[in-house]
Structure formats: structure tokens, C-alpha cells
Amino acid sequence: MYALNKIIWFAINPAMVGLTILLVAMLVRRFRTTALCLGFAWFWMWSSPAFTRIVGLQLEKEYLSGGGYPSIASVPVCDAIADMGGGVGGNTNMFDHAFLNSSADRAYVSAELWKAKKAPIIVPSGTGVANADRVFMLDLGVPEEAIVVENKAMNTEQNAKLVRQILLERTNCTKNAGIPRAVDRPLKVLVVTSAWHMKRTMLMFEKYAPEIDAIPMACDFECAPVQDFSMKELIPNPEVFGRNSVYLHEWIGYWGYRFLRK
């Protein structure tokens, strides 16, 4: 399923759709002018910061707190912190330390939550987190014993399933179906990820980790809060094209899992 999802996204991502339109313009003389204009408009739209208000802002705005970013002080004390990995690069032969990318807020905020005593352990989840998020958290002062690594998840669905498995296996009690449980209440877990990724992440925990009471702690806001509209937002930017494509991927993943996957 992982490979199939990647193939489908390759076929329908905005860049591929735009290139297909331009290919039609080259091959079908009858529709050349129309296809060229449509292709130009397509790439302009996806490169426009104004379009981010549609595809990106709608993902993030529900995770704002009172119109601003959520604060660490405002979240409740929980059983664990789940860090959706992917924001930190791992050690290589060029570096002897973790290096950060645009979503490194995930690991940083997770560490700050632990320092604020919001949960006793952090579960960084995703392939490579042992040499990436974990190393960064150690640098930030989180002790090794407070970090429980999950390093097999390759997508958000697997993040939720494997974090659930780790947390439930750390308990001693069992339910009728043989599912380990710590207490007769849902495990409270602070889920930390980028704001634009949170909507799909919460859906994954809802579907695949029903024993967990997932509490969102969004970070890495890229779209919100926004200023009043400016004509500058109509100027195309190649970096914006990439970000808008990521936001579209989130929407497709969210609605696909909501209605097509069990």
C-alpha cells in the first residue's frame, strides 16, 4: 500500500498534471493555444502565495489557540509525548551531530514539553529517528531513559499504529481481547507535529489507536496566522509551488483515509 500511494501521488501531483497539460499542447495542435494558456495558469496558481490561503491555511487554522500559536503551558499533563519524526536529519560521515530542516520544531517542541513535565517519556516515531530526533533531543537535555524510539514507521498511518503498540506494550494489564492497557482510561498522549500535518495525524490516531486520547500540540506553522491580503501574494514563487503541493498531499491523504480506508 505504501508503494501504491507513492505511485498514485506521482501521477496526480500538481507538477505532473501541469506537465501533462503542456504535453497536450505540444502534441495536439488543435488545442495548443488553450492548453498552453491553461498550463501557464495552472503553474501560476500553484506557485501563488494567495493559493496557500486555500490549500494550506485551512489545514492549520483550527490548531491556533485564541488566534495565536498554542503554548506549552496550556496543554495538560499526559502519559507520553509522540513526536512525528521527519524534521531532523541523521548523523552522516559529514556531520557528527543531528542537523535540522524546516520541520525540526517537532523534535524541539517535544523536548520542551518534556522539560515542562508534561509527560515522562517521548516517543519519536519514524525511520531514522534514532540517529536524528533522538540525538537532537539529547543535545537539548532530554535524558536517554526518557526517549523511547520507534524507528520503523514509513508514513503517518504507521506512526499511529506503532506508537500505539509501543505505549500499550509498556503496560502490565490486559483487556479481554489481549490488548495491554495501563489503566481503565485512555492513555493521554500529546501528539506533536507540523500544524499542516496535524489534521491527518489526528485522523490516524482516531482510526488506528482508539485506546489513545490524542491531544494535538501543533508547531511549525507555515501559513497561519496570516496578514491582510496583499497583491504580492499573486507573484509566483517556485518554493511556494512545492509547499502548496505538500498541502494538497495532506488533503488527499486525509479524505482518502476518511472515506476509503478502514
Side-chain angles (χ1 to χ4, degrees):
M1 183 58 69
Y2 174 81
L4 178 60
N5 288 342
K6 294 298 182 183
I7 293 171
I8 292 173
W9 173 242
F10 173 79
I12 66 174
N13 76 80
M16 185 58 63
V17 172
L19 290 174
T20 300
I21 294 172
L22 295 179
L23 180 62
V24 170
M26 293 175 58
L27 298 178
V28 185
R29 181 174 300 180
R30 179 180 177 183
F31 301 110
R32 182 165 298 170
T33 300
T34 300
L36 283 173
C37 292
L38 182 59
F40 179 80
W42 178 264
F43 280 107
W44 186 300
M45 178 181 73
W46 283 97
S47 301
S48 167
F51 194 58
T52 301
R53 290 177 177 265
I54 299 174
V55 291
L57 180 59
Q58 301 306 312
L59 287 169
E60 295 189 353
K61 67 178 185 178
E62 69 179 283
Y63 300 107
L64 293 171
S65 177
Y69 301 138
S71 67
I72 288 175
S74 67
V75 299
V77 174
C78 295
D79 298 300
I81 300 160
D83 161 41
M84 301 294 100
V88 180
N91 297 343
T92 69
N93 59 350
M94 297 177 63
F95 300 93
D96 60 358
H97 55 81
F99 56 95
L100 313 181
N101 63 34
S102 61
S103 299
D105 302 43
R106 303 179 187 184
Y108 176 79
V109 170
S110 295
E112 291 300 299
L113 287 166
W114 182 87
K115 291 179 183 180
K117 296 181 170 48
K118 295 298 182 178
I121 61 170
I122 304 173
V123 184
S125 175
T127 55
V129 295
N131 295 322
D133 295 53
R134 170 184 155 276
V135 173
F136 184 37
M137 291 175 187
L138 291 173
D139 289 342
L140 292 173
V142 180
E144 187 81 61
E145 61 269 20
I147 304 173
V148 182
V149 170
E150 184 292 295
N151 59 1
K152 296 181 180 179
M154 299 178 65
N155 57 29
T156 310
E157 175 186 338
Q158 293 178 8
N159 285 141
K161 289 179 176 179
L162 294 175
V163 166
R164 166 191 176 275
Q165 179 180 327
I166 282 178
L167 292 178
L168 294 181
E169 285 178 352
R170 288 174 66 86
T171 67
N172 298 319
C173 301
T174 58
K175 200 178 177 182
N176 291 336
I179 299 174
R181 290 177 64 87
V183 290
D184 292 330
R185 64 166 175 80
L187 289 168
K188 287 188 176 182
V189 177
L190 286 167
V191 178
V192 183
T193 192
S194 302
W196 49 267
H197 182 235
M198 185 62 80
K199 192 176 185 71
R200 183 159 61 103
T201 301
M202 294 302 290
L203 178 64
M204 296 300 99
F205 275 88
E206 176 187 323
K207 276 182 171 287
Y208 302 118
E211 301 88 352
I212 289 177
D213 180 9
I215 300 170
M217 181 60 194
C219 59
D220 184 32
F221 285 83
E222 296 183 353
C223 311
V226 295
Q227 305 299 320
D228 293 336
F229 178 79
S230 167
M231 292 301 292
K232 291 181 180 179
E233 294 185 33
L234 297 177
I235 299 175
N237 183 326
E239 292 183 5
V240 172
F241 184 96
R243 296 313 308 163
N244 283 343
S245 298
V246 169
Y247 305 144
L248 175 65
H249 180 268
E250 288 300 309
W251 281 114
I252 292 175
Y254 175 79
W255 291 112
Y257 271 96
R258 192 159 194 84
F259 294 111
L260 300 179
R261 294 288 302 278
K262 295 182 179 180

